[in-house]
Amino acid sequence: MAGSRKLGRTTDHRKAMLRGMVTYLLENGQIETTVTRAKEVRSMAEKMITIAKGISGNDAAADLHLKRQVFAYVTKEDVANKLFNDIAPKYAERNGGYTKIIKIGPRRGDAAEMAIISLV
């Protein structure tokens, strides 16, 4: 995560926030957040999908390692299973670009640039 954004949070808070947002994105398909957070979430969500795509069923030890990597990051077990069973197979033929970010203008309270990040 060299050069990643700090998002005005301590390291632990930032990691926990991103884990929660990635889990919510994978669970619901889209979330509304600030543009900078969306860009960070996109990075981690695409990594999780790429890891889940690597499960082939041929090499049990490698598959176990990949599953444990995903379970270590995604905070809900049912969302991780959805990632393996539904989301990853959907993107089997696609090499990256699993998410899109659509800017929706400034937030009313503090004029932060808002965006919707969704799975393609």
Side-chain angles (χ1 to χ4, degrees), residues 59-73:
D59 186 2
D63 288 354
L64 180 61
H65 176 64
L66 294 175
K67 282 188 175 185
R68 284 181 175 165
Q69 282 184 307
V70 172
F71 280 117
Y73 195 82

Side-chain angles (χ1 to χ4, degrees), residues 16-26 31 33 37-38 41:
M17 181 186 72
L18 289 174
R19 284 180 64 193
M21 291 178 81
V22 167
T23 302
Y24 191 80
L25 174 65
L26 295 172
I31 53 175
T33 184
R37 283 185 189 175
V41 169

Side-chain angles (χ1 to χ4, degrees), residues 18-89:
L18 289 174
R19 284 180 64 193
M21 291 178 81
V22 167
T23 302
Y24 191 80
L25 174 65
L26 295 172
E27 185 175 25
N28 298 303
Q30 76 173 28
I31 53 175
E32 183 179 323
T33 184
T34 62
V35 173
T36 51
R37 283 185 189 175
K39 289 178 180 177
E40 284 298 302
V41 169
R42 170 172 52 188
S43 169
M44 290 311 300
E46 298 213 0
K47 283 180 180 140
M48 289 299 114
I49 293 170
T50 303
I51 289 170
K53 278 175 51 178
I55 293 182
S56 60
N58 300 340
D59 186 2
D63 288 354
L64 180 61
H65 176 64
L66 294 175
K67 282 188 175 185
R68 284 181 175 165
Q69 282 184 307
V70 172
F71 280 117
Y73 195 82
V74 176
T75 57
K76 295 181 180 176
E77 188 175 339
D78 57 323
V79 175
N81 289 327
K82 178 182 177 183
L83 177 61
F84 295 125
N85 300 328
D86 302 337
I87 298 171

